[in-house]
Amino acid sequence: MNRSFIYSLKVWLLMVIIAPLLHLVLSWFIIENPEISLIAEIQKDYIIFADMVLLLTIPFAFVFWVAVYSLSKKREPFYVKQVLTIAILIITMLPFFELLFEKKVSAVSSIAVIIFPYSITGIAGIWLHKLESPEPEEETVEEQE
């Protein structure tokens, strides 16, 4: 399989698995008087959140794979990771600032709970997983003779 596809899949699956969990934990801490325990909240809502994230981020996974594939053909893995990190920061911060300034939302924490878990896990996935350099093209039989 294509190395960029495997790398993209690992990053995306980390985000799909960890971000909903982080989202639930952060939202539980922000609730002033939680009536349910954190473990019970995770057991109750994790599958629903993970399924929603899985379905809603399929287009992201495809675009991410295309970006990794095209960038890794021309650049070194460290550069590709830097570009992807900046792209995820921009993509996740734009809705944050739009909600904050345009909609005059007063609860910054409620917006942060929605956006930050996904950007944090996306960036962590980019840097935790190894992106291998593409192997040089194999010489054809004609060039060897």
Side-chain angles (χ1 to χ4, degrees), residues 49-103:
F49 274 65
D51 288 344
M52 287 183 352
V53 171
L54 178 71
L55 291 174
L56 294 175
T57 60
I58 288 173
F60 164 79
F62 179 74
V63 171
F64 188 78
W65 170 59
V66 170
V68 170
Y69 178 74
S70 61
L71 283 171
S72 64
K73 286 170 75 175
K74 300 173 186 166
R75 301 292 186 155
E76 293 298 315
F78 185 74
Y79 176 82
V80 173
K81 287 182 175 191
Q82 287 177 330
V83 169
L84 294 173
T85 300
I86 292 168
I88 284 184
L89 283 173
I90 291 171
I91 289 168
T92 56
M93 290 301 144
L94 285 177
F96 178 76
F97 287 121
E98 194 272 333
L99 287 172
L100 187 62
F101 296 119
E102 291 295 322
K103 306 293 183 191

Side-chain angles (χ1 to χ4, degrees), residues 3-134:
R3 292 177 185 185
S4 61
F5 177 76
I6 298 295
Y7 173 78
S8 301
L9 185 65
K10 287 178 183 179
V11 172
W12 177 62
L13 286 176
L14 181 75
M15 190 170 77
V16 167
I17 293 168
I18 301 297
L21 182 63
L22 189 57
H23 176 94
L24 287 170
V25 169
L26 288 175
S27 63
W28 186 82
F29 279 117
I30 290 187
I31 298 172
E32 292 182 14
N33 291 319
E35 298 174 7
I36 190 168
S37 72
L38 178 60
I39 302 300
E41 182 74 23
I42 291 171
Q43 288 175 342
K44 182 181 83 158
D45 291 335
Y46 177 75
I47 297 297
I48 295 169
F49 274 65
D51 288 344
M52 287 183 352
V53 171
L54 178 71
L55 291 174
L56 294 175
T57 60
I58 288 173
F60 164 79
F62 179 74
V63 171
F64 188 78
W65 170 59
V66 170
V68 170
Y69 178 74
S70 61
L71 283 171
S72 64
K73 286 170 75 175
K74 300 173 186 166
R75 301 292 186 155
E76 293 298 315
F78 185 74
Y79 176 82
V80 173
K81 287 182 175 191
Q82 287 177 330
V83 169
L84 294 173
T85 300
I86 292 168
I88 284 184
L89 283 173
I90 291 171
I91 289 168
T92 56
M93 290 301 144
L94 285 177
F96 178 76
F97 287 121
E98 194 272 333
L99 287 172
L100 187 62
F101 296 119
E102 291 295 322
K103 306 293 183 191
K104 308 279 192 265
V105 176
S106 59
V108 174
S109 60
S110 64
I111 300 169
V113 165
I114 296 169
I115 294 172
F116 290 155
Y118 301 96
S119 61
I120 290 169
T121 55
I123 292 169
I126 288 170
W127 291 98
L128 289 176
H129 296 295
K130 184 177 180 185
L131 177 61
E132 297 178 9
S133 297

